[in-house]
Amino acid sequence: MKRESGILLSIASLPSRFGIGCFSKEAYEFVDQLKEAGQSYWQILPLGPTSYGDSPYQSFSTFAGNPYFISLEDLIEEGVLTRQECEEADFGETPDAVDYAKIYEARFPLLQKAYERSNISRNTEFQNFLEENRWWLEDYALFVAVKSRFGGRAWTQW
């Protein structure tokens, strides 16, 4: 058996100007550094959307991705957000600590703007994704919409 090694590092721990590490150029640079160091694996922890307490082990879905990990830089490059909009958002005071409450308050309105400005609904790959994942995606979207309607309260309080 060939021995290999790697590292455990949450995506959230990567450097970011916008409050939390994400799948951005910093993630690709980190992978390059791992390869240069002779590492074979990067264990990134669960990637699902977090719920109360923002623990990656307490997720609303086994299949959905965490919207915190969407690169705002990529959305700026795509033209669906402006740099000014992202820089004006309050992601917290300390760049070396994640302020989940502030990220929650700032990131979701930005992601909503990006979606509204995009043409993603006409994208063939997106339509294929929706069709192939309908078996879980519709129930998850309904859950998130209803949870939002009830102010984020636990489902037992609806």
Side-chain angles (χ1 to χ4, degrees):
M1 178 176 182
K2 181 181 172 191
R3 293 182 69 167
E4 296 179 307
S5 63
I7 190 167
L8 175 117
L9 179 82
S10 172
I11 295 293
S13 296
L14 293 171
S16 172
R17 299 173 58 183
F18 304 118
I20 192 168
C22 60
F23 288 105
S24 60
K25 70 177 178 63
E26 287 81 8
Y28 288 92
E29 289 169 358
F30 183 69
V31 169
D32 292 342
Q33 291 173 359
L34 289 176
K35 184 175 180 178
E36 288 174 24
Q39 301 299 301
S40 302
Y41 299 102
W42 176 13
Q43 185 175 347
I44 55 178
L45 299 175
L47 299 174
T50 54
S51 60
Y52 183 78
D54 287 296
S55 168
Y57 301 103
Q58 184 177 342
S59 180
F60 291 134
S61 173
T62 301
F63 306 105
N66 191 329
Y68 293 160
F69 300 151
I70 297 171
S71 170
L72 297 183
E73 289 285 352
D74 287 352
L75 297 176
I76 292 168
E77 287 180 28
E78 190 177 317
V80 294
L81 289 177
T82 68
R83 183 160 307 281
Q84 181 178 350
E85 288 170 329
C86 294
E87 289 177 355
E88 287 176 352
D90 183 4
F91 294 109
E93 299 299 318
T94 312
D96 60 346
V98 176
D99 186 333
Y100 284 100
K102 293 212 175 197
I103 289 171
Y104 180 82
E105 300 280 325
R107 187 169 281 260
F108 285 104
L110 287 171
L111 294 176
Q112 183 67 37
K113 275 184 192 178
Y115 173 77
E116 290 169 358
R117 294 172 180 169
S118 76
N119 292 320
I120 192 75
S121 63
R122 291 179 243 168
N123 181 294
T124 304
E125 289 179 26
F126 179 71
Q127 292 301 322
N128 290 341
F129 174 84
L130 293 178
E131 185 60 36
E132 292 168 9
N133 292 279
R134 174 171 273 130
W135 60 275
W136 68 267
L137 189 55
E138 288 180 351
D139 290 337
Y140 176 68
L142 177 61
F143 170 78
V144 171
V146 172
K147 185 167 183 65
S148 176
R149 164 63 178 84
F150 287 99
R153 293 191 310 268
W155 67 271
T156 55
Q157 298 173 354
W158 295 350

